[in-house]
Amino acid sequence: MSNTKKAIKKRVPKSKGITIKVNSQFIEEQEKCQSSNKEIPPTNIYSFSSHGKLISVDKVKGSGVTEVPLNVMLNDTVTLAIGPDHPDKFYTLNELKRFNPEIQQVKVNEKVIDVEFFLPPNRWLCWFLSRCVVPGHVYKDFGAEAPFEDFPIDNATVEVFEVDPFRLWIPKLPEKVIDDLRDVIIELPEPINPPIPPIDPRDIPEPKPFPPEPKPRSLAKMLKADGLQKIKLLKQSPEYKTLQLEAKTQSNFEFRQTLLAKPKLILPFLCYYFPHLVKMHKLTEAVTDECGKFSAVFFRGCNNTDKPDLYFKVKQVVPEKGEVTIYEPKPISCYTHWNYQCGTEVTLRTTHPDAVANSNCGGFPSGRYLVFKSVGVKAMSQIFGCGATTTNSQNIGLLDDGKDPGSPFGGGLYFKADFSPSLRNLGIRYYKISVKGPGTNGIFKPLRHKIYRFYHEQSGDTLVRKSYTLGPDKDGHTDLYEIPDTQAPNHSPWVTFAGSMFQNSTSIGYWDSVESSLEEDLLYHAGKYEVQMQLYNASGEEVDIGSGHFYYLSNESCDPTDPLAQNKAKDLNLVKVESGEHPSLVFQLHIDNNSCAGIIGAPKLDQITAGECCGTLDYDEGSPPVTLPFTASHPNGFATYDFKVKRSAVSLTSLHKDGTATMPGNFDQTGDVSTLMSESLPDTCSEPCQNAAFAEQLHVYAWATNGIHRISGYDAHDFRAFALMKAD
């Protein structure tokens, strides 16, 4: 038995180190067969084993000889392929073949083997022409928490997929799907749970201070309504009626040809009604840089004249969770970039809670400046006295949001600013923020809420999240915060993420404008406050910024990447000497943390009020109007009220009333009995009501904002019911 094994062992070919000299000639002109000295596309020699497994990849610098060292078995066959360079590895010969390489097979029987490749221009030039570059950015979308900022996601893998072309899968659709699609186009039924493509928060207007219309009972119904509306918009196309007629009259074969000829009309229907029909395959991938930028490259194929249909996924390594897919919108057909034009910028925004973004991607210009950006997410140019137009003594410090005179600030306020990267090198290392107003006994009170920055650090095989405290009392300097460096201590980018620490990690200070004030003190603590920012050197001494421009306030209409294009604080008279020895930034905010009051009084009819027990009022033919009293107030008039009445489920528009909630805020609404009994009767009602039940609804909306959203906790609401009964 052992002799047999030895015999078999002797017959096994030995591996042999050989060199294949590949003489590759890139022909410039086919007829003259001349080699090209011009630039050729990035090209490799790919070597595959007899089993189709990749052995080596060697770069080709142009026409000439490239030595390919291999360690293979004697008498084995090696496949050599010359093809375009690609950011992804081709692990098999079949993967490479889609890029139209030049291929030869070589028998390994000598130590040095010479092989020649002649590549005609129609072969290698197409490697230039068929390259498709997909540039783009990946951002974390924090929604209302930061609607005007882009937070780049770095070190994430962007996977690019090609969705099967429309022209290929329409002919493959089953007859039943074609019939269903025909019915959808003719009848336009409501979509079943259609997806809603993501909405850019920059396009979302600020909610009005009135109650919204009744919402659908479920998310599914809301989705249906949205999807149906989008589909209905297609009916405005002049081609749509023709399409409906074709859907009614054509055979399935003819109708398929119609579908193929009108992709712009058909794709929305497939997205909302048949979202799971498409298939895809991966083309390539790319990694984002610190600014969330990526550039992916793939080859469309030499004879492919079709524009690609691309779909994207994004994956990121998250601390303590490993690799997480943070962007993969579904259904695929609704988020496909149909007929993608190579070179077009792609912006991918994710709301995934685990996605980690950079606080910034660097690039701040050098110089001596500080840009105070916002209170919450409200740019300084939106605040009267800080850049908003038509500032006067009454509205200074209020938010310019269209209300008259403007909305006050309240609650917890985050301050945001950008520091020049040169400040630390110039010896300016710390800052202090203080506030002075009715609630501070007329003195500046330093802010002392802890402010953090976050970064990632590799611990063995695990990526962990680390925190860094900016202050207060940084390095032993009382009340001072450190100006954050452009990078974390380990020279990695600062990061931010969704959750309770998001605002903290992107801010430079936090002020609880309510603090420990008692309810009875809030009225007296409302008013104009001064916010002061001072700078200090490494020794904790206040810095004299000089007489030139140093402080800038963000202006929404300016280029955010150009700090010196923002509003100059000095021109707004906001640079002055206050509590310190040198000029500092001082601006005003109007604070009001008072709550609203909203109370519905008892309805009256001919001086008789509705009973507390049953809430009924008797009437006859000669009864006077019904009076509906209510109180809607705010101590300083920073609120809006909205009063509505319903009979059964019908809103009575004649009794609707809204306005500003002033003091003392006593209002009433009146209505004739006949109006209350007959207004807006449904078609199913044959005559006015004789007896009817009514519901009153009062909402009082506070205008106060924390700079991120309206403080709804200061609102007031009340409800009341009554009935009108015809007297016997």
Side-chain angles (χ1 to χ4, degrees):
M1 194 72 172
S2 59
N3 292 333
T4 305
K5 288 184 177 179
K6 288 181 181 179
I8 294 174
K9 187 175 181 181
K10 288 179 181 179
R11 290 197 296 268
V12 175
K14 294 182 179 180
S15 61
K16 184 177 182 180
I18 68 155
T19 299
I20 300 180
K21 292 183 177 182
V22 180
N23 183 9
S24 50
Q25 298 296 318
F26 291 81
I27 305 303
E28 182 177 350
E29 296 184 44
Q30 182 71 44
E31 294 180 359
K32 297 181 181 180
C33 207
Q34 293 178 344
S35 296
S36 173
N37 293 319
K38 295 181 178 179
E39 181 185 2
I40 65 168
T43 306
N44 294 331
I45 299 174
Y46 300 89
S47 305
F48 296 89
S49 71
S50 57
H51 302 292
K53 182 179 179 181
L54 181 65
I55 302 174
S56 69
V57 179
D58 297 273
K59 289 190 177 297
V60 177
K61 296 181 180 180
S63 292
V65 176
T66 303
E67 292 190 354
V68 178
L70 296 175
N71 193 24
V72 296
M73 309 298 280
L74 288 172
N75 299 317
D76 203 350
T77 299
V78 174
T79 300
L80 300 180
I82 295 186
D85 185 25
H86 196 275
D88 290 339
K89 289 184 178 180
F90 300 110
Y91 292 102
T92 66
L93 183 58
N94 286 334
E95 292 175 352
L96 179 62
K97 282 182 177 179
R98 67 188 299 261
F99 299 101
N100 200 23
E102 192 74 19
I103 300 174
Q104 285 192 44
Q105 289 188 334
V106 178
K107 186 78 169 180
V108 179
N109 51 20
E110 297 181 32
K111 193 168 185 178
V112 178
I113 302 173
D114 294 317
V115 177
E116 289 187 323
F117 278 88
F118 292 92
L119 294 104
N122 65 342
R123 179 65 60 87
W124 63 269
L125 281 175
C126 90
W127 297 341
F128 262 137
L129 302 176
S130 67
R131 286 171 66 91
C132 182
V133 180
V134 186
H137 286 83
V138 182
Y139 297 115
K140 176 67 179 283
D141 186 351
F142 289 97
E145 294 289 308
F148 305 108
E149 292 188 76
D150 288 328
F151 290 88
I153 294 178
D154 76 322
N155 202 31
T157 300
V158 180
E159 297 181 338
V160 185
F161 295 81
E162 184 173 24
V163 174
D164 286 351
F166 182 75
R167 60 181 173 79
L168 293 183
W169 52 273
I170 284 293
K172 298 178 182 178
L173 292 180
E175 293 291 313
K176 183 182 184 307
V177 174
I178 294 294
D179 291 337
D180 290 342
L181 184 56
R182 187 196 300 272
D183 293 340
V184 163
I185 292 172
I186 295 171
E187 301 173 10
L188 204 67
E190 292 194 13
I192 300 175
N193 294 340
I196 299 180
I199 300 174
D200 192 324
R202 295 161 178 74
D203 297 333
I204 301 177
E206 182 148 339
K208 295 181 180 180
F210 300 108
E213 290 300 313
K215 292 183 178 180
R217 293 183 181 179
S218 68
L219 177 62
K221 288 193 175 183
M222 182 171 66
L223 292 175
K224 287 179 184 179
D226 184 90
L228 186 61
Q229 181 61 30
K230 290 179 184 295
I231 293 295
K232 284 181 177 178
L233 291 177
L234 292 175
K235 298 181 72 173
Q236 299 176 9
S237 167
E239 295 180 298
Y240 185 77
K241 291 192 179 296
T242 302
L243 178 64
Q244 281 187 311
L245 179 62
E246 291 166 335
K248 292 178 181 178
T249 59
Q250 290 182 338
S251 67
N252 274 6
F253 175 79
E254 294 170 329
F255 190 52
R256 285 181 194 268
Q257 305 311 307
T258 297
L259 298 180
L260 287 170
K262 300 180 178 180
K264 287 186 178 180
L265 274 177
I266 302 305
L267 284 171
F269 287 96
L270 295 174
C271 164
Y272 283 100
Y273 294 91
F274 310 98
H276 305 294
L277 294 177
V278 299
K279 295 181 180 180
M280 63 182 185
H281 61 274
K282 184 177 176 180
L283 292 174
T284 186
E285 64 181 39
V287 178
T288 58
D289 64 12
E290 65 175 4
C291 293
K293 184 178 180 180
F294 67 89
S295 182
V297 179
F298 68 91
F299 291 84
R300 291 179 294 145
C302 293
N303 300 314
N304 186 0
T305 59
D306 219 12
K307 288 185 178 180
D309 304 316
L310 302 184
Y311 175 80
F312 298 87
K313 293 182 185 180
V314 182
K315 297 178 179 179
Q316 185 185 33
V317 177
V318 177
E320 301 173 2
K321 292 190 176 182
E323 188 175 70
V324 176
T325 300
I326 60 172
Y327 181 84
E328 189 182 13
K330 295 290 183 66
I332 294 169
S333 58
C334 297
Y335 294 88
T336 296
H337 295 245
W338 299 101
N339 293 321
Y340 173 77
Q341 180 66 48
C342 294
T344 305
E345 178 84 12
V346 174
T347 299
L348 307 177
R349 298 184 183 277
T350 177
T351 58
H352 197 288
D354 291 332
V356 180
N358 287 354
S359 297
N360 62 68
C361 66
F364 291 125
S366 59
R368 295 180 76 255
Y369 66 84
L370 184 155
V371 180
F372 209 99
K373 293 170 59 178
S374 65
V375 178
V377 299
K378 303 302 181 184
M380 299 303 289
S381 59
Q382 295 178 271
I383 301 173
F384 289 112
C386 298
T389 57
T390 65
T391 296
N392 56 52
S393 59
Q394 299 299 313
N395 64 23
I396 192 167
L398 295 172
L399 179 67
D400 181 10
D401 58 357
K403 303 182 182 71
D404 185 17
S407 295
F409 290 89
L413 303 172
Y414 282 101
F415 300 113
K416 299 185 179 184
D418 285 337
F419 297 89
S420 165
S422 302
L423 294 188
R424 290 169 65 98
N425 295 332
L426 295 172
I428 303 175
R429 192 173 182 85
Y430 305 102
Y431 66 91
K432 179 170 69 174
I433 304 178
S434 308
V435 295
K436 181 179 75 171
T440 67
N441 297 321
I443 62 173
F444 276 101
K445 183 177 179 180
L447 303 188
R448 293 193 51 80
H449 190 83
K450 282 191 175 182
I451 297 296
Y452 297 91
R453 291 293 183 267
F454 296 91
Y455 62 99
H456 290 161
E457 188 171 85
Q458 198 73 32
S459 178
D461 296 332
T462 305
L463 192 66
V464 295
R465 182 172 295 154
K466 296 279 189 177
S467 64
Y468 184 87
T469 305
L470 296 183
D473 305 334
K474 189 66 175 180
D475 300 327
H477 300 297
T478 305
D479 300 328
L480 301 191
Y481 294 78
E482 180 183 359
I483 294 175
D485 204 346
T486 55
Q487 292 182 320
N490 64 352
H491 304 293
S492 67
W494 298 111
V495 300
T496 189
F497 45 88
S500 60
M501 293 301 293
F502 167 72
Q503 292 295 340
N504 188 300
S505 66
T506 58
S507 302
I508 63 164
Y510 173 82
W511 175 30
D512 181 359
S513 67
V514 181
E515 294 185 316
S516 58
S517 298
L518 300 175
E519 186 69 29
E520 57 268 23
D521 292 332
L522 291 177
L523 178 61
Y524 307 104
H525 288 179
K528 300 186 187 302
Y529 284 73
E530 289 182 301
V531 180
Q532 175 180 324
M533 185 170 193
Q534 299 163 279
L535 297 176
Y536 297 81
N537 62 22
S539 300
E541 299 168 339
E542 187 180 2
V543 172
D544 186 357
I545 62 170
S547 59
H549 290 295
F550 181 90
Y551 289 106
Y552 296 80
L553 304 181
S554 66
N555 187 339
E556 288 180 301
S557 62
C558 294
D559 180 0
T561 65
D562 185 359
L564 305 189
Q566 313 304 310
N567 292 331
K568 299 177 177 64
K570 188 176 180 180
D571 292 348
L572 298 171
N573 298 316
L574 299 181
V575 180
K576 59 188 76 172
V577 178
E578 283 286 352
S579 65
E581 301 177 357
H582 303 294
S584 58
L585 175 66
V586 181
F587 63 89
Q588 292 189 57
L589 291 181
H590 193 125
I591 301 297
D592 198 321
N593 287 296
N594 288 286
S595 295
C596 303
I599 302 173
I600 299 176
K604 296 180 181 179
L605 178 61
D606 200 14
Q607 302 303 314
I608 298 175
T609 59
E612 292 184 1
C613 297
C614 301
T616 58
L617 284 172
D618 293 336
Y619 75 95
D620 54 34
E621 298 298 334
S623 293
V626 178
T627 300
L628 305 176
F630 62 92
T631 299
S633 65
H634 183 277
N636 297 303
F638 293 124
T640 301
Y641 71 83
D642 188 70
F643 177 76
K644 291 182 177 180
V645 178
K646 279 189 174 184
R647 182 191 63 245
S648 184
V650 178
S651 294
L652 305 184
T653 56
S654 64
L655 294 176
H656 176 245
K657 190 171 186 177
D658 57 58
T660 302
T662 57
M663 292 294 289
N666 296 323
F667 305 92
D668 59 53
Q669 190 67 300
T670 59
D672 294 332
V673 172
S674 60
T675 300
L676 268 70
M677 292 304 203
S678 61
E679 181 181 341
S680 301
L681 281 172
D683 295 338
T684 54
C685 301
S686 58
E687 59 183 21
C689 302
Q690 300 296 310
N691 304 309
F694 300 84
E696 301 171 83
Q697 181 183 30
L698 174 64
H699 294 269
V700 187
Y701 295 90
W703 293 353
T705 175
N706 62 6
I708 302 171
H709 50 72
R710 192 179 62 80
I711 306 177
S712 59
Y714 296 161
D715 295 351
H717 311 276
D718 198 14
F719 301 89
R720 192 176 187 117
F722 70 96
L724 288 177
M725 310 289 291
K726 190 169 185 179
D728 296 333

